[in-house]
Amino acid sequence: METVILAVVIAVVVLGALGGLIVGSRRHKPLPPPPPKTPDITAPPAEPHVGDEAETPRDEPRRTIEEVDLPGGPAPVAVEEPPVVEAPVGIEIPEPTAGRLIRLRARLSRSQNALGKGLLTLLSREHLDEDTWEEIEDTLLTADVGVQPTQELVERLRERVRVLGTRTPVELRALLREELLHLVGTDVDRTVRTEPEGRRPGIVMVVGVNGTGKTTTTGKLARVLVADGRTVVLGAADTFRAAAADQLQTWGERVGAHTVRGPEAGDPASVAFDAVKEGKEMGVDVVLIDTAGRLHTKTGLMDELGKVKRVVEKHAPLDEVLLVLDATTGQNGLVQARVFAEVVNITGIVLTKLDGTAKGGIVVAVQRELGVPVKLIGLGEGADDLAPFEPEAFVDALIGE
């Protein structure tokens, strides 16, 4: 019996020792983290702290904390700031065309003042004898005004100076300004016709001799149209010059205009046709077609230019045919103008490099030669240096302030 009792006691002691070891080992093990607390949606929101700023998603309005004076003291108020809107990457915003020539007048006047100042100096002489009037004629002819316009201007100046009698500098300047405006023409429509009609875009073809800046002018004209809110498709129909299509496409990409091009040495008429077709499908406002720089002495090339015109007109009639002339070429430019006018119906003139010559009279001469107005002039190498021609700003630049 004592043996049984002793065995029971030993068993109890052993079990107690084992139980203590198990409890001790559990105390040294880390407890698992408590489950996340379910938020109480009925509880009021926490009060914001002044100066703190909550993180917000990138596309949502940023919230800042401001203080507003209330009867109980300043209280923080959350104010929403609108998200920042970024411009499309790689797309430029051209300079507005309204008044562009006036803004560029200083550049024009630097090269053209030789004509205006020369005339004012001669007219200011105390005695205007025949030698002086011959000098006035020579000044006008040197500026490429042309023989007939020069004779008309000199005759009008002679008569008005004789009637005027006393000639103050202010009176002479006003007189010369009025006569030059009469010669340049202020009652001519110089609008570049690009208005779409119905479901078709306005169609403009740009022609000219190599070296006049024709492709560059086409790209700058696209900027002018985009600046006026138009959508544009460019047709790279100059397939004979390897860099022409690349150059035109670069101009188009800068303002978001699509360029239609074909294989090198391909059919330019086909490219022009496709450009008008895509322009109609895309619903754009204007299609500009840049043609190859034709040598006016090459009959075959000029015939091909006529073919481009005929193919384009299978879609719709051309709204404008702009002839690009280099103002520095003077009377040689008139020879080019005559030949182009025989092949296509020129509707407007673009004079480039007008800031690099004192021969501003070419504006008068080319208008007289073709019977069509100068509509655009180029005044430099900048992207926005192509300006609508404004007679008043041009004449003011000729005679200076």
Side-chain angles (χ1 to χ4, degrees):
M1 184 64 178
E2 291 178 355
T3 303
V4 174
I5 295 173
L6 180 61
V8 172
V9 171
I10 293 172
V12 170
V13 172
V14 172
L15 290 175
L18 291 175
L21 290 174
I22 293 173
V23 172
S25 64
R26 288 184 176 178
R27 287 177 181 174
H28 292 288
K29 290 183 179 179
L31 296 176
K37 185 179 179 180
T38 304
D40 185 1
I41 61 174
T42 62
E47 290 291 331
H49 298 282
V50 177
D52 291 346
E53 186 169 310
E55 294 184 0
T56 58
R58 184 175 300 177
D59 296 332
E60 293 184 2
R62 178 171 170 265
R63 300 175 65 88
T64 59
I65 305 300
E66 296 183 358
E67 289 188 357
V68 178
D69 290 334
L70 295 175
V77 177
V79 179
E80 289 191 358
E81 293 182 359
V84 178
V85 179
E86 297 181 357
V89 177
I91 302 298
E92 299 179 7
I93 301 177
E95 179 183 344
T97 57
R100 185 182 287 189
L101 182 56
I102 295 176
R103 295 192 295 275
L104 297 171
R105 194 173 72 183
R107 182 180 303 171
L108 179 63
S109 63
R110 282 196 294 270
S111 58
Q112 301 295 329
N113 268 348
L115 171 61
K117 288 184 176 179
L119 291 176
L120 285 174
T121 300
L122 292 171
L123 290 171
S124 298
R125 290 181 180 177
E126 186 175 354
H127 299 290
L128 296 179
D129 54 18
E130 289 300 321
D131 290 339
T132 301
W133 286 112
E134 286 184 7
E135 288 184 56
I136 292 174
E137 284 188 1
D138 290 342
T139 300
L140 291 168
L141 290 173
T142 302
D144 283 333
V145 174
V147 175
Q148 184 176 350
T150 293
Q151 293 175 347
E152 293 177 9
L153 179 58
V154 169
E155 288 301 319
R156 290 175 65 88
L157 287 173
R158 274 179 179 262
E159 179 65 20
R160 295 197 62 178
V161 167
R162 183 184 64 80
V163 173
L164 184 64
T166 304
R167 304 179 304 278
T168 67
V170 175
E171 290 173 329
L172 283 175
R173 187 181 184 282
L175 171 64
L176 184 59
R177 183 180 189 275
E178 184 178 339
E179 291 300 330
L180 286 174
L181 279 174
H182 175 78
L183 203 61
V184 172
T186 57
D187 56 351
V188 180
D189 182 12
R190 301 181 187 274
T191 305
V192 179
R193 295 190 296 272
T194 57
E195 293 292 336
E197 294 184 11
R199 299 182 61 182
R200 77 165 183 87
I203 306 173
V204 180
M205 188 165 72
V206 183
V207 301
V209 176
N210 281 326
T212 59
K214 179 178 49 55
T215 299
T216 299
T217 297
T218 306
K220 290 182 178 182
L221 179 55
R223 293 180 67 89
V224 168
L225 294 170
V226 170
D228 289 339
R230 306 291 182 83
T231 52
V232 180
V233 161
L234 297 171
D238 185 353
T239 59
F240 296 101
R241 188 163 58 93
D246 292 336
Q247 182 183 359
L248 190 66
Q249 184 168 351
T250 299
W251 279 102
E253 289 172 349
R254 293 169 67 178
V255 293
H258 175 61
T259 302
V260 177
R261 54 188 299 177
E264 186 176 341
D267 182 14
S270 176
V271 176
F273 184 87
D274 290 341
V276 176
K277 179 182 178 182
E278 291 194 29
K280 292 174 68 175
E281 292 173 351
M282 295 172 64
V284 300
D285 297 319
V286 188
V287 175
L288 296 179
I289 301 171
D290 176 37
T291 60
R294 312 293 173 172
L295 296 175
H296 62 277
T297 56
K298 303 292 184 180
T299 304
L301 292 178
M302 295 303 290
D303 289 343
E304 189 170 286
L305 181 61
K307 175 187 174 184
V308 172
K309 178 178 181 293
R310 292 191 300 272
V311 168
V312 168
E313 288 181 332
K314 291 182 179 180
H315 276 299
L318 287 166
D319 295 286
E320 285 278 3
V321 179
L322 298 176
L323 173 62
V324 179
L325 294 177
D326 184 339
T328 63
T329 60
Q331 295 298 313
N332 187 47
L334 299 183
V335 177
Q336 300 171 8
R338 281 194 291 267
V339 176
F340 276 98
E342 294 173 0
V343 179
V344 291
N345 182 29
I346 303 297
T347 60
I349 304 296
V350 183
L351 280 176
T352 63
K353 307 178 186 177
L354 196 60
D355 62 326
T357 174
K359 299 185 176 184
I362 190 66
V363 171
V364 176
V366 73
Q367 289 184 151
R368 287 292 188 93
E369 180 67 32
L370 296 184
V372 297
V374 172
K375 295 190 174 184
L376 298 163
I377 58 174
L379 294 169
E381 299 299 326
D384 292 322
D385 287 345
L386 184 71
F389 182 73
E390 301 170 22
E392 291 83 1
F394 176 73
V395 170
D396 287 340
L398 286 181
I399 61 179
E401 296 295 340

